[in-house]
Amino acid sequence: MMRHKKSLLALALITAFSMTACSDGEDGKNGENGENGENGENGLPAGSFTEHVATAADFKLTLNPNDIVVVGSEPFALKFSVTGKTEQGKEVPFMGLDKIAIYVTNQYENTAEGGAPYLWQNNAMANDAGYSMYCTPEGKTISWGNEVNACTLVEDTENPGTYTGTWEHDGTAPIVLADGNANNLHRIMVRSYNVTDFSGSGISDKLLSMPVDFIPATGELAVSMKDAVSNEACIKCHASLDGFAEDDSRIANVHAHHNYQEVDNCIACHNPAIAADQNDPDKGYNPNWNAMIHTIHAGHHLDLQGEAKEEFGEVGFPDELHECTACHDNGMQWQENIYAEACVSCHTNIDFETGDNHAGIIPGGDEACILCHGSGSLSPAVAHQVGQREEAQGNFVIDIQSVEVQDSTTADMSNLVVTSKVTMNGEALDATTYAEITDYMTNANRPFLLGKLNPETGAIAHGYGSDGLFRPAFTGGTLADGGMLTISQEFATALLEGPIYATAEVQLCATQTKIVKCDSDAYQLAVANTAETKYFNLTDANADPVMTRITDPERTTVSEAKCNACHGNLTHIKGSHGVTEFSQCVVCHSENKGSVPSYHPTVTYKTDDVDADGNAIWAEVPGLTFANRDLVTVAHRFHNARWDDTPLVYRDAEGTLHGYPAPEADCHACHKEDSTLFAADGGLTSGKRAIETDAGFISPVAESCRSCHVKESALAHFKSNGAYVQDDAATTADLPIESCATCHAEGKTYGVDVVHNGSAAH
């Protein structure tokens, strides 16, 4: 008997065929075609929009006051547009923005008895709703770990790069001041989030719109009554962010909150409301903008017990603290608005309850301040001698007429005779005043400065304390009619030959632009003489003058103007030295220093430990020393905190730089914008080819770089590229040019203009 095994699937197929395939009938007709679906919308052409930008400067959010409602009974409304630059640099609509924060402040007249005439009010803070309002497509976001309501952000598909914001929740939007005054100036600023570059990495700077000041009632743009300090004033020390429009200058480096870029943005939070909330003993300081910014820069941001807060007590203002216009460069509010809160942020020792340190006067309120300080000798402009340093400096002029060699009765010695015309307070210096001149000088030992020059290069042949530097005393000379001063001093005859420079470093006391006798009880300026550096030839008076290398702008990548932008003047930098020009500085800070090494050979840092009195303990960086006084090395070292004696510019135990206000990798914060560090031959543009130390001669490029790059790996890199360094110095000043320029010259892949473009990469 046969047995057949069939699967269920086979049985099913057989059954199906038995029902349909009994005969070969005609094929059925095809059914009718269905209707065509609607065509989809065409996408935007490639390159016509972007969802990424390379830098914050490539992202531009534009606000129109007519599309903004942030005050009154109307519901909140916001409309704005955003553009970004493609990788090819084309400006196109920016799409895909998914989160912003809106900051709104208004400026109102202060009707109370004390304080500034106008005050800032943050709308959100007035509504007890934080500092700003978020907007997202979902109308929700996470803030400090909690979900919060946000305005609803909608991208207009018909107009790429255009967005609107609305409030879809109960109640009034947090940044709408329902009972506010629509005629007050309002300021709005938007911060954007979650924007990445073309590699998917976040943008390093905050993406902040340019603040807009406007009158909501009319939609017209307005000008604030309170902007006494411009962004440009801060940029002088804190440097600028690259890439923004000329009318949109941004501050590059303010550490607080990772930099909000503009003074206009800071007041959004630092206003009287935050002061009312935080100005108490537990919080420790007054965070209102006017009080806070003064005390920080004065280096004594105090708590209410009069003790300096650690994070601000070490801040050093690099300019004259009394020079109000160093920051106040926009209007005259600094001398017209007289009230205690602003003044005591610098004059911290005044007690208005007892009159201590205020001539015993108890003013009783701000309204009394202007009675004494509104005009006259006690007004800010006069009492602080604002802007008077330069004029005072011009009131003591040493105009060197000649430098000659004359015979001496001493064997192998000759007299170096310097003749100058000296004027004081616009008049020729007289014999009576000259006899008392040390009473006018801040340091009686400040002399004339003369020295030999290399006839080929203009380099100073010898440095401080070595043969070839001549320092005749300013005192002890012979004064003739017309202020003609003759100074004579003996030097070795063999040294008195060839090209020399001649200047002076006398510093004097001044009051209200006039040179006066020094009085320790009076507030006086310490001003430098005006002593133009001049050049002579002791061997051939008719020879073409040889000038110091640093006075040649073609060979100098830094200018006095660059230093003075932040420091105000070189005199302030160098204490009692009466210097105003680099040509005076290099007299002592020469690459050919002779036998005197650096006065600051070691490097210290601030540890995390404190002593029994609570003071920070400082420690030396092991194995890191410097042994030269070259001006370039010294300037780099100090500003990069490779220094000792716990300076105001310092590094902590983690190596973080404190006190230097600009981005540390931004060379153009000090160097001229159009200068190049390297010459065509790979050496320095200046022509400097060696620096002298106790042990011999070292390479100048490596020593400049070592001021920042101090690791052993960097030192090995310098050596491998042909540099002579401090622990392996050469015995001759005729050194080969280092090969640094091969990779690091401007325009190269790893050029200093690329890897040290700190302002753009902050």
Side-chain angles (χ1 to χ4, degrees), residues 390-410:
E390 185 174 354
E391 186 176 348
Q393 175 186 309
N395 274 327
F396 198 88
V397 179
I398 302 175
D399 185 4
I400 298 174
Q401 307 288 302
S402 64
V403 180
E404 300 175 330
V405 179
Q406 296 180 3
D407 293 338
S408 169
T409 57
T410 306

Side-chain angles (χ1 to χ4, degrees), residues 66-194:
N66 293 304
D67 297 324
I68 301 170
V69 176
V70 289
V71 63
S73 58
E74 295 295 320
F76 164 75
L78 178 70
K79 184 177 181 180
F80 60 92
S81 62
V82 188
T83 61
K85 288 185 179 179
T86 65
E87 288 186 275
Q88 293 73 34
K90 181 182 178 181
E91 187 170 345
V92 295
F94 184 93
M95 300 181 66
L97 185 63
D98 63 4
K99 184 178 180 180
I100 62 171
I102 308 169
Y103 294 78
V104 179
T105 51
N106 70 88
Q107 181 178 278
Y108 65 95
E109 186 174 0
N110 181 16
T111 57
E113 293 183 353
Y118 287 86
L119 300 174
W120 286 110
Q121 180 184 47
N122 180 304
N123 285 15
M125 295 171 71
N127 288 326
D128 196 23
Y131 301 98
S132 63
M133 180 180 74
Y134 290 109
C135 291
T136 66
E138 302 79 21
K140 296 279 187 177
T141 192
I142 301 298
S143 178
W144 299 99
N146 300 312
E147 185 178 75
V148 297
N149 289 336
C151 97
T152 300
L153 183 67
V154 177
E155 185 172 0
D156 187 345
T157 57
E158 298 294 328
N159 298 286
T162 300
Y163 299 81
T164 58
T166 55
W167 184 253
E168 305 298 333
H169 307 282
D170 292 338
T172 304
I175 58 173
V176 173
L177 209 56
D179 58 352
N181 188 340
N183 290 300
N184 283 347
L185 177 146
H186 280 62
R187 174 172 292 167
I188 185 168
M189 177 266 291
V190 174
R191 178 182 177 184
S192 300
Y193 295 83
N194 303 331

Side-chain angles (χ1 to χ4, degrees), residues 668 675-679 685 741 743-749 751-754:
H668 284 143
S675 65
T676 57
L677 301 181
F678 291 100
T685 294
C743 295
H744 299 300
E746 289 85 354
K748 299 294 182 72
T749 302
V752 291
D753 55 331
V754 177

Side-chain angles (χ1 to χ4, degrees), residues 531-601:
E532 178 187 353
T533 303
K534 295 189 176 182
Y535 302 91
F536 304 91
N537 193 306
L538 299 180
T539 304
D540 182 1
N542 296 318
D544 291 335
V546 175
M547 303 176 70
T548 53
R549 185 167 54 218
I550 203 164
T551 60
D552 182 355
E554 297 298 320
R555 294 191 291 171
T556 306
T557 61
V558 181
S559 66
E560 286 93 349
K562 273 284 191 175
C563 297
N564 291 343
C566 186
H567 290 289
N569 59 86
L570 294 180
T571 312
H572 172 69
I573 299 172
K574 281 304 294 178
S576 66
H577 291 275
V579 298
T580 58
E581 301 175 3
F582 289 157
S583 59
Q584 296 165 313
C585 300
V586 296
V587 171
C588 296
H589 293 286
S590 158
E591 71 265 33
N592 304 311
K593 61 148 194 71
S595 60
V596 180
S598 171
Y599 285 160
H600 305 272

Side-chain angles (χ1 to χ4, degrees), residues 440-455:
Y440 294 81
M441 296 170 61
T442 62
N443 186 324
N445 296 319
R446 296 302 177 205
F448 282 91
L449 302 172
L450 299 92
K452 297 181 66 175
L453 295 171
N454 183 309

Side-chain angles (χ1 to χ4, degrees), residues 43 302 326 339 412 416 429 475 546 727:
L302 307 184
Y339 57 97
D412 299 323
L416 186 63
L429 187 66
T475 57
V546 175
D727 61 355

